[in-house]
Amino acid sequence: MSVLAEIWQAAKSIVVGHAVTWRSTTRPPVTVNYPDERPDLPKGYRGIPVLKTNLETGQLNCTACGLCARSCPVNVIEVVEETDENGKRLRRPKVFNIDMSRCMVCNLCVEACPFDALEMANHFEIADYSVPNLIFNKEQLAEIWKQYDAVRLAGGEKP
Ligand code: SF4
Ligand code: SF4
């Protein structure tokens, strides 16, 4: 390539580059200044998995069957069924923990649950300086379900 052609190519690429930059500066931003500005979550946004409560009885729907724990690809669900003093199974969780520090928000646990006891809430602000604080117990999971809209049914509304 001749020197003149090279100069022409360089000048052209400078003009094209500036045109791209100029176009970008005049477009409306696609980001928000979080956390000062809140993101406008789309309907159906999927956050963390949480435990559903029967609003009439106040009890968890969970029967501690353990299917969600077995279906979780990263093994972050711990379920221990409650028993009475004779060892009889009570079909409710004594322990139900989800380690949100490793949850992939994949929804597979929700799909696996035969008792409609899990749901993805549109909650995502769970950052913490301590990893153990990200292991949410059944009370925390149920409380989040009450506070946040769920996304599995009715496109973002609680059923
Ligand atoms: S959403 Fe996925 S990764 Fe998270 S607990 Fe459920 S199955 Fe496991
Ligand atoms: S949440 Fe559902 S799948 Fe998991 S233990 Fe409870 S009833 Fe079983």
Side-chain angles (χ1 to χ4, degrees), residues 84-121:
D84 67 11
E85 60 278 7
N86 301 316
K88 186 178 168 227
R89 297 168 63 182
L90 295 179
R91 308 277 178 206
R92 60 179 183 237
K94 181 178 171 194
V95 175
F96 192 106
N97 295 332
I98 301 183
D99 181 353
M100 296 298 176
S101 73
R102 294 191 295 127
C103 173
M104 305 188 298
V105 199
C106 69
N107 197 53
L108 285 176
C109 52
V110 176
E111 295 299 325
C113 178
F115 298 99
D116 196 23
L118 277 169
E119 205 156 35
M120 306 300 277

Side-chain angles (χ1 to χ4, degrees), residues 3 53 60 62 69 94 99 108 131:
V3 175
T53 302
L60 294 174
C62 179
K94 181 178 171 194
D99 181 353
L108 285 176
V131 171

Side-chain angles (χ1 to χ4, degrees), residues 3-152:
V3 175
L4 274 180
E6 282 182 22
I7 292 172
W8 167 247
Q9 280 301 329
K12 204 167 114 187
S13 64
I14 288 170
V15 171
V16 170
H18 278 81
V20 170
T21 306
W22 177 251
R23 269 205 308 276
S24 300
T25 55
T26 52
R27 273 196 208 122
V30 292
T31 53
V32 294
N33 288 321
Y34 178 82
D36 296 328
E37 273 177 61
R38 313 301 299 169
D40 202 7
L41 296 180
K43 202 170 185 180
Y45 171 85
R46 196 167 82 195
I48 60 172
V50 291
L51 278 173
K52 289 177 76 170
T53 302
N54 183 316
L55 292 174
E56 284 171 16
T57 65
Q59 302 295 312
L60 294 174
N61 286 357
C62 179
T63 62
C65 71
L67 280 177
C68 56
R70 283 202 285 282
S71 73
C72 176
V74 284
N75 199 23
V76 298
I77 304 179
E78 179 189 13
V79 188
V80 178
E81 187 175 358
E82 197 171 336
T83 54
D84 67 11
E85 60 278 7
N86 301 316
K88 186 178 168 227
R89 297 168 63 182
L90 295 179
R91 308 277 178 206
R92 60 179 183 237
K94 181 178 171 194
V95 175
F96 192 106
N97 295 332
I98 301 183
D99 181 353
M100 296 298 176
S101 73
R102 294 191 295 127
C103 173
M104 305 188 298
V105 199
C106 69
N107 197 53
L108 285 176
C109 52
V110 176
E111 295 299 325
C113 178
F115 298 99
D116 196 23
L118 277 169
E119 205 156 35
M120 306 300 277
N122 65 358
H123 178 41
F124 64 94
E125 295 173 297
I126 59 169
D128 201 288
Y129 288 109
S130 163
V131 171
N133 285 351
L134 291 174
I135 299 173
F136 289 8
N137 62 30
K138 61 180 179 176
E139 287 79 17
Q140 290 170 294
L141 295 168
E143 191 55 37
I144 295 169
W145 180 77
K146 285 181 200 152
Q147 288 179 14
Y148 291 86
D149 281 342
V151 299
R152 182 180 174 208

